[in-house]
Amino acid sequence: MAQLDLRKKLSVLADAAKYDASCSSSGTGKRNSIGGKGIGSTEGMGICHAYTPDGRCVSLLKILLTNFCIYDCAYCINRVSSNVQRARFSVQEVVDLTLNFYRRNYIEGLFLSSGIIQSGDYTMEQLVLVAKSLRLDHDFRGYIHLKLIPEADPRLVEEAGLYADRLSANIEVPREEALTRLAPQKDLAVIKKAMGQVRLKVEAAKPQKKDRIKPPKFAPGGQSTQLIVGADGAPDTEILDRSASLYGGYGLRRVYYSAFSPIPDSSAALPLSKPPLMREHRLYQADWLMRFYGFSAPEIGEATTGGMLDLAVDPKLAWALNRRELFPVNVNTADREALLRVPGLGVKSVDRMISVRRYRTLRLEDVARLCRGIDKVRPFITALDWTPGGLTDAVDLRARLTPTVEPVQMSLF
Amino acid sequence: MRVAVLASETDFDGWRLAARAFRLAGVAPGEARFVVGEDLQGGLFDAAAGEGESALPDKARPLRVPQAFVDMAHDVVLHRTPDRFDLLYRILWRLQAERDLMRVRSDRDVSDAMDRQRNVSRASHKMKAFVRFRQAFDEEGECWVAWFEPAHRVLARTAPFFANRFTTMRWSILTPDGSCFWDGKAMSFGPPAQASDAPQEDEIEEFWKTYYASTFNPARLKTKTMQGEMPKRYWKNLPEAALIPELVAASAVRTETMVGTPHSEPNARLAKAIFRHNRDGAFEEGFSPSNLDELRHGVQACRRCPLWRDATQGVCGEGPPRAKLMIVGEQPGDHEDLAGRPFVGPAGQLLNDAFREAGIDRDEAFVTNAVKHFKHEPRGKRRLHRTPTTSEVTACRWWLDHERALVRPKVVLTLGSTATLGVLGRKVTVTRERGMPIPLTDGSHALVTVHPAYLLRLPDEAARRREHAVFIQDLKRVRQLL
C-alpha cells in the first residue's frame, strides 16, 4: 500500500474516532508545567477548544492509532469486513501531532483509541507507548485519555493507569444477547473484569491517612464507558439499569450515550436511519438525575411508556406529572431533597434558594431570578405570594408545559 | 453630581478609593459618577472626588464590606458595560445598611452584578479556549503569538493560565485592550495591538482544520448548540471556524448519500481474519467439569440464574485441590466480585484470624461460596449486598456439588444459613444445628456455624466477644473431625 501522507492519515483516523461520544477532559487533579521541562496543565474542569457543527466540543485530539481491526462489530465503521480506507499512525506521529496541537492551544490533550491489531496485548502496548513517550520523553502535563483493550494483560492496564488521566472501555451494546449477535468477538464479562481491575487500582492509589509515602497516581480522572442507543432494541429503562449497575459496580465517572449514527459502508445487520438524538438527550438527562438528584433507575422508569422515556418532556417533569400528590412544594420551608425534585430547579438554583431564604422569604419573582425559567417551576411550588391552586392537578398541565413543536423521533426498530 | 475620573477601564483601585471617599462623604448613588479618561488624570481627580477634603479617605474611619463583595467587584470592573462602576457603588452604598446583601442572590442589584461577574468569567474561560497561537521567530528564536478579541477585558485576569500551561514557551497574546508577554520567567503588559501585529499563518493550522472537519459527524447537525457554546463573535479569529459554512451545507447531502448507498460486500481478505480470532465456545448443556479449571471456566459462562448479568464475574473456590476441609460461604461480596477471588474482604480477614486462633491452617482449606455470582442492588456509587433467594442457591448447587465431588473434603464447614442451604439442600436454623457434625451422602460431614459477617455486624462489644468464643469453639470441633 502506498504511504499515506500524514494529513490524509489524520483525516482517516479522526473520522473513524468520531463515533466515540466522550471528549471530556475533566475530573483529573490540578497540574501545571511550572518547574518542568515540557508544557501542559490541567485545571480539574476541562476546556472545550472548539465546537463542530454537530454541537459537540473538541477538547482532545481524539484519534485512533489505527483503524485496522480484527473484530467484526456490526455497528462499527472499523470492523474487519468494512471497506473503509485503512491507515495507521506511528507512535512518534501521534506524539508529534499532540504536542504541535497543544502548543498552539487547540486542545487539552490526547484521547487515543485503536482498532485491535495482532492481539489485545500488542494493541494496548502501542497505546501505552504513546502515553509513556508524552509523559517521560516530553514531560507533557496535559490530559491523556487511553482506551482500554479489555482482553489485554492486566499488567498493561496497570501501566496505562500510570500515564493516563482517564481510562475507558466501551460496552457499546446495552443488551448482552445483542452483543453476541452484533459484536461476536466482544465479551461483556471481559470488559467488566477490566473495569473491576481499574476500580480496585484507583482505590488502592487513594492515599490513606496512615500512608507516609503517597501511592503512585492511577488514572486520577477515573474511568468511563459508552453505550450505543438505538442499535439493539434495548428500551431506555434497560439502558438506565445497566448504567446504574455500572456506576455502582465500577465507580465510573461517566456513562456516555451515543445515538446510533449511520456509518458509511454500514453492515447489513443494521438498518440505516437518522440517529435518535432526542432519545440520547433524554437519557443524558435521566443519567444526570441519577448522579446528582438522588433518583434511582426504577423511579425514573415509573414515568416511562413501554420502557421508553417521554420525548416531549424531560424525565424530571415526566416523573413529577406522574407524582403530583407530592406537589406543590413550599420553596421557603422544603428540604433540599424535595426541592431537587421540582421540575426546572437545578442543583445550583436549589442551593442558592436555601442560602437566600435564611435572609429573605422567597417570592415568585425571587425564585424566577434564581432559576433559568419560571414556567416549568410555577405549577409545582408555593412561595410567599404564590400558590398554584388547581394548576398542579390540572388535566391539561402536561400539554401546557410541552413545547408546541413536538420533536419527531425516528426509530430504528 | 460628584465625578471621579479613573485611570483606565479596569482601574479597580482607582474606583475603590473614589467610592470609599464618596461613601464616607455621604454621596448618594444617584449623585456619584465614575468616568474613565487618561488625559483627565491628575488634578481633576482630586478636585472631583475631594472638593475641599482630601481625596484619600481617612484610614481610621471605618467602611467595611464583605470579602465576597470585593471579589465580585474585581470581576465586574472587567465587564464592558459603562454603568458597571455605578452598579458597584450602589451595592456598596446599600451594604452599609444591609449587611447580608451579598448573600441575597435574588436581589435585583446583586443578581445583576453576579450576572455580569458570570459573563466576565465566561469571557475568561472562552479566552482560555479560543486563543490560537501561531509560531513565529524573532532574534531570540522561536516564539508564539496570538491575536485575540475577548468579550470583556479579561487579558490580565486570564494570562496566568497561559503562563502555567506554556511555561517553557515564549509567547505573547495581543488584544485590542492591551498585550501580554511571557518570556519564560516573567509576565509583562503592553499597549493595545492590532490583528496585523500577529503572524497571519502557521503551517500546522491546515492539520488542525483537517482534524476539525474529520471529527464532525454530518448525521448529527446541531448548529444551535454549536453557536451557544462558540458564539459567532469569536469566529473570525478561529482558523477552523472558516470551515463551518461548507460543513453545514454539505451535511445533508453527505448523510443522504451515506444512507442511500447500498451495503457493499465485506472485504473478503480481511474477513478471513475474523475466524482466526473467535473465542472459545461458551458453556453448553451437557457440560460436566472433570477438573477445577474446567469448572472455573464453566462458571464464567453460567446462565442458570440471572445473577451473572450485573456481576463482574463468577467467583469459584480456591485452595488445595485435595483439601480435607472445605469452607463454604454465602456469596462473593463487592471486593470478591472485582478481584475474582473468595474471602478477600473484611469477613475473610476475620476468618483468617479465627482459624489461627483455633489452630487450623487456613491455607490447607478449600474456600468457596454457595453462590458464585455477587447478588446486589446499585445504590448510587455503591452496591448493597442482597441475600440470594432459595432458587438462586438451588441453581448454583449444581456447581457447589461438582466442586465438592472434585475436592472430596472430609469436613465441609458451612458459614451461615445460605451456605448451609447450598450444601444440605434444605433450610436450617443455624443456631439450632451449629457445631454438630451432620453426615453427608458421600461419607463426609458437614458442620454448621455462623457467617463471620454476622460477628462483624454485632453492635455491642460484650455480645461480640461472647459470639466470637462460640465461633472459635465451632472451629475447634472442626479440627477434631479432620
Side-chain angles (χ1 to χ4, degrees):
Chain A
M1 200 204 299
Q3 194 74 34
L4 284 167
D5 78 78
L6 191 61
R7 241 180 93 191
K8 181 69 195 158
K9 280 201 225 176
L10 176 62
S11 92
V12 170
L13 293 168
D15 188 291
K18 73 185 175 201
Y19 302 98
D20 204 309
S22 156
C23 185
S24 140
S25 52
S26 51
T28 196
K30 288 189 182 190
R31 292 194 294 265
N32 58 47
S33 51
I34 291 171
K37 292 192 173 73
I39 48 169
S41 63
T42 53
E43 291 204 308
M45 287 291 281
I47 298 173
C48 305
H49 287 260
Y51 290 81
T52 52
D54 54 22
R56 293 187 304 170
C57 81
V58 181
S59 161
L60 302 168
L61 170 60
K62 187 165 63 177
I63 46 173
L64 300 188
L65 192 60
T66 175
N67 64 340
F68 286 101
C69 189
I70 57 175
Y71 282 12
D72 202 41
C73 309
Y75 50 79
C76 181
I77 186 174
N78 305 314
R79 68 189 186 284
V80 64
S81 60
S82 155
N83 290 309
V84 289
Q85 183 174 19
R86 306 282 171 169
R88 179 178 175 177
F89 279 129
S90 70
V91 168
Q92 192 59 48
E93 281 168 339
V94 176
V95 169
D96 290 345
L97 265 178
T98 308
L99 292 172
N100 270 321
F101 279 10
Y102 198 89
R103 270 187 210 112
R104 288 162 177 81
N105 202 42
Y106 299 160
I107 51 167
E108 287 292 286
L110 173 69
F111 178 173
L112 188 60
S113 179
S114 181
I116 315 271
I117 41 169
Q118 293 187 29
S119 68
D121 279 354
Y122 175 78
T123 311
M124 193 72 229
E125 235 167 57
Q126 296 293 304
L127 296 179
V128 170
L129 274 180
V130 172
K132 192 172 177 177
S133 170
L134 277 169
R135 292 281 194 240
L136 302 185
D137 303 340
H138 301 277
D139 193 16
F140 175 67
R141 300 183 186 180
Y143 198 88
I144 299 180
H145 179 156
L146 287 186
K147 189 62 72 182
L148 272 188
I149 311 296
E151 49 274 64
D153 192 310
R155 200 177 38 79
L156 288 165
V157 176
E158 198 165 335
E159 208 183 351
L162 289 181
Y163 304 119
D165 290 285
R166 176 169 286 186
L167 300 171
S168 65
N170 283 354
I171 290 192
E172 309 282 21
V173 185
R175 271 197 168 157
E176 168 97 5
E177 300 75 39
L179 190 67
T180 23
R181 182 164 53 84
L182 298 174
Q185 298 106 319
K186 268 196 140 182
D187 185 341
L188 183 60
V190 173
I191 301 173
K192 289 201 283 189
K193 259 188 232 178
M195 287 179 165
Q197 191 200 345
V198 172
R199 192 192 118 183
L200 287 177
K201 288 269 182 296
V202 167
E203 279 169 7
K206 286 221 180 84
Q208 304 286 312
K209 266 194 190 148
K210 58 178 196 284
D211 287 348
R212 290 197 151 185
I213 305 161
K214 278 191 192 169
K217 284 226 158 70
F218 185 88
Q223 56 176 337
S224 62
T225 193
Q226 165 168 298
L227 299 174
I228 294 179
V229 178
D232 69 345
D236 293 338
T237 41
E238 208 174 305
I239 294 172
L240 292 172
D241 282 344
R242 169 67 79 202
S243 299
S245 135
L246 291 170
Y247 282 127
Y250 311 107
L252 292 190
R253 291 289 174 87
R254 286 291 299 274
V255 173
Y256 289 91
Y257 305 94
S258 175
F260 178 68
S261 175
I263 49 174
D265 197 41
S266 108
S267 153
L270 287 169
L272 280 169
S273 178
K274 279 198 171 168
L277 294 181
M278 181 49 82
R279 187 177 166 201
E280 176 192 281
H281 180 59
R282 294 286 181 242
L283 278 167
Y284 274 117
Q285 290 178 316
D287 187 87
W288 207 261
L289 292 183
M290 294 200 294
R291 287 188 297 143
F292 302 106
Y293 290 78
F295 281 81
S296 70
E299 272 182 303
I300 297 167
E302 281 171 24
T304 56
T305 318
M308 299 300 270
L309 295 167
D310 196 326
L311 292 176
V313 298
D314 69 78
K316 201 210 248 182
L317 179 56
W319 174 85
L321 287 168
N322 212 30
R323 298 294 302 274
R324 297 194 207 186
E325 73 277 12
L326 300 174
F327 298 98
V329 162
N330 185 334
V331 291
N332 285 304
T333 54
D335 58 17
R336 192 168 181 275
E337 283 66 35
L339 287 173
L340 280 175
R341 295 203 165 216
V342 175
L345 293 186
V347 173
K348 261 192 191 162
S349 318
V350 167
D351 289 343
R352 282 175 194 166
M353 259 179 226
I354 290 173
S355 128
V356 169
R357 74 189 187 185
R358 286 161 55 203
Y359 307 96
R360 301 274 193 285
T361 308
L362 296 166
R363 293 167 183 276
L364 191 63
E365 148 190 53
D366 298 316
V367 178
R369 266 198 287 272
L370 294 172
C371 67
R372 290 181 126 200
I374 192 71
D375 289 349
K376 211 193 283 179
V377 182
R378 209 182 280 125
F380 299 100
I381 59 164
T382 57
L384 182 61
D385 60 346
W386 167 256
T387 157
L391 187 57
T392 314
D393 297 314
V395 189
D396 64 341
L397 182 59
R398 185 178 186 281
R400 286 197 211 188
L401 296 175
T402 308
T404 39
V405 186
E406 289 257 337
V408 180
Q409 187 58 54
M410 308 275 287
S411 164
L412 282 173
F413 291 88
Chain B
M1 182 66 70
R2 302 277 288 269
V3 181
V5 182
L6 308 180
S8 75
E9 294 285 0
T10 57
D11 181 12
F12 175 79
D13 290 333
W15 172 82
R16 181 161 65 174
L17 283 176
R20 191 184 166 90
F22 283 165
R23 182 64 187 90
L24 291 173
V27 182
E31 297 299 309
R33 268 189 67 209
F34 301 87
V35 296
V36 178
E38 285 157 69
D39 44 338
L40 298 177
Q41 234 176 339
L44 263 179
F45 180 89
D46 290 335
E51 253 173 47
E53 53 185 304
S54 165
L56 293 174
D58 177 2
K59 288 231 159 60
R61 293 171 69 182
L63 182 67
R64 301 189 64 85
V65 293
Q67 186 62 38
F69 173 73
V70 181
D71 293 344
M72 182 186 74
H74 266 288
D75 279 346
V76 171
V77 160
L78 306 181
H79 203 274
R80 287 198 196 274
T81 43
D83 66 338
R84 62 195 182 282
F85 293 115
D86 303 329
L87 170 64
L88 288 175
Y89 184 64
R90 197 157 62 240
I91 298 176
L92 175 76
W93 177 272
R94 289 180 56 197
L95 269 171
Q96 305 315 309
E98 303 167 66
R99 306 300 301 176
D100 298 320
L101 185 59
M102 287 305 293
R103 296 215 174 96
V104 185
R105 296 198 61 149
S106 58
D107 179 87
R108 205 177 293 274
D109 285 337
V110 175
S111 96
D112 184 2
M114 284 188 169
D115 280 349
R116 295 189 207 196
Q117 181 183 26
R118 209 180 51 238
N119 293 340
V120 165
S121 94
R122 181 174 153 94
S124 169
H125 182 80
K126 292 301 179 196
M127 179 172 174
K128 293 175 189 173
F130 298 150
V131 156
R132 300 282 181 260
F133 286 114
R134 284 179 169 145
Q135 193 179 31
F137 292 91
D138 60 14
E139 52 289 356
E140 286 175 59
E142 185 190 59
C143 60
W144 302 86
V145 186
W147 165 253
F148 186 70
E149 298 173 34
H152 298 286
R153 299 183 179 94
V154 292
L155 177 66
R157 182 194 198 265
T158 319
F161 165 82
F162 292 97
N164 285 342
R165 171 162 292 192
F166 303 110
T167 315
T168 54
M169 284 162 39
R170 290 170 52 237
W171 54 258
S172 339
I173 299 174
L174 315 179
T175 82
D177 308 315
S179 313
C180 175
F181 309 95
W182 172 258
D183 64 2
K185 289 182 186 68
M187 202 141 54
S188 56
F189 292 90
Q194 289 177 336
S196 56
D197 298 337
Q200 300 305 303
E201 50 183 29
D202 183 303
E203 55 168 354
I204 294 295
E205 225 153 77
E206 288 308 312
F207 282 80
W208 172 237
K209 283 154 95 172
T210 302
Y211 174 65
Y212 179 78
S214 308
T215 202
F216 159 61
N217 184 348
R220 305 179 47 115
L221 202 61
K222 265 184 169 177
T223 45
K224 244 170 100 182
T225 315
M226 167 185 68
Q227 266 194 54
E229 299 292 345
M230 192 167 74
K232 273 199 163 153
R233 56 168 296 126
Y234 294 110
W235 288 17
K236 68 176 190 291
N237 294 317
L238 291 168
E240 66 273 19
L243 301 174
I244 292 172
E246 73 186 74
L247 287 175
V248 172
S251 74
V253 180
R254 281 174 69 190
T255 311
E256 287 306 310
T257 321
M258 196 155 62
V259 175
T261 313
H263 302 292
S264 58
E265 282 304 304
N267 179 330
R269 187 177 61 84
L270 288 170
K272 264 196 296 188
I274 306 172
F275 302 104
R276 293 203 299 270
H277 285 274
N278 265 342
R279 204 170 277 116
D280 300 338
F283 154 74
E284 287 162 20
E285 287 301 316
F287 163 86
S288 175
S290 58
N291 59 52
L292 287 170
D293 267 348
E294 275 184 31
L295 182 133
R296 204 162 290 134
H297 204 83
V299 164
Q300 300 315 320
C302 178
R303 303 289 184 265
R304 291 175 163 263
C305 77
L307 289 186
W308 62 273
R309 208 176 284 269
D310 286 328
T312 302
Q313 54 195 318
V315 179
C316 288
E318 216 178 61
R322 285 277 178 268
K324 277 198 273 182
L325 170 63
M326 180 183 267
I327 304 163
V328 182
E330 184 195 58
Q331 63 158 347
D334 185 57
H335 241 71
E336 287 81 3
D337 170 76
L338 299 177
R341 298 181 54 200
F343 281 99
V344 290
Q349 194 54 49
L350 191 147
L351 199 64
N352 283 348
D353 297 343
F355 268 75
R356 206 169 302 124
E357 205 180 323
I360 311 175
D361 189 352
R362 201 198 110 163
D363 292 340
E364 285 183 12
F366 189 92
V367 186
T368 191
N369 283 304
V371 171
K372 307 300 184 204
H373 284 110
F374 177 32
K375 180 171 184 180
H376 62 274
E377 189 182 287
R379 183 72 54 82
K381 289 199 163 175
R382 294 186 313 143
R383 299 190 289 184
L384 299 187
H385 164 275
R386 284 177 61 203
T387 307
T389 62
T390 308
S391 75
E392 285 152 356
V393 178
T394 311
C396 217
R397 271 194 85 193
W398 193 88
W399 293 108
L400 184 60
D401 285 350
H402 274 93
E403 230 169 7
R404 274 175 51 208
L406 290 167
V407 178
R408 281 188 281 148
K410 207 172 154 199
V411 180
V412 182
L413 175 68
T414 66
L415 309 173
S417 62
T418 305
T420 314
L421 173 64
V423 172
L424 301 180
R426 63 178 171 89
K427 285 192 174 166
V428 298
T429 310
V430 173
T431 43
R432 199 179 304 150
E433 303 197 27
R434 75 184 295 179
M436 297 179 291
I438 302 167
L440 299 171
T441 48
D442 60 0
S444 63
H445 284 83
L447 204 112
V448 181
T449 186
V450 294
H451 196 279
Y454 160 74
L455 300 177
L456 285 171
R457 276 198 298 266
L458 283 172
D460 100 273
E461 182 61 35
R464 196 157 46 225
R465 213 171 302 136
R466 196 170 55 239
E467 279 301 315
H468 187 81
V470 187
F471 186 61
I472 299 292
Q473 222 168 20
D474 288 344
L475 296 190
K476 284 187 172 154
R477 200 150 306 150
V478 168
R479 203 179 60 181
Q480 289 161 7
L481 286 171
L482 285 174

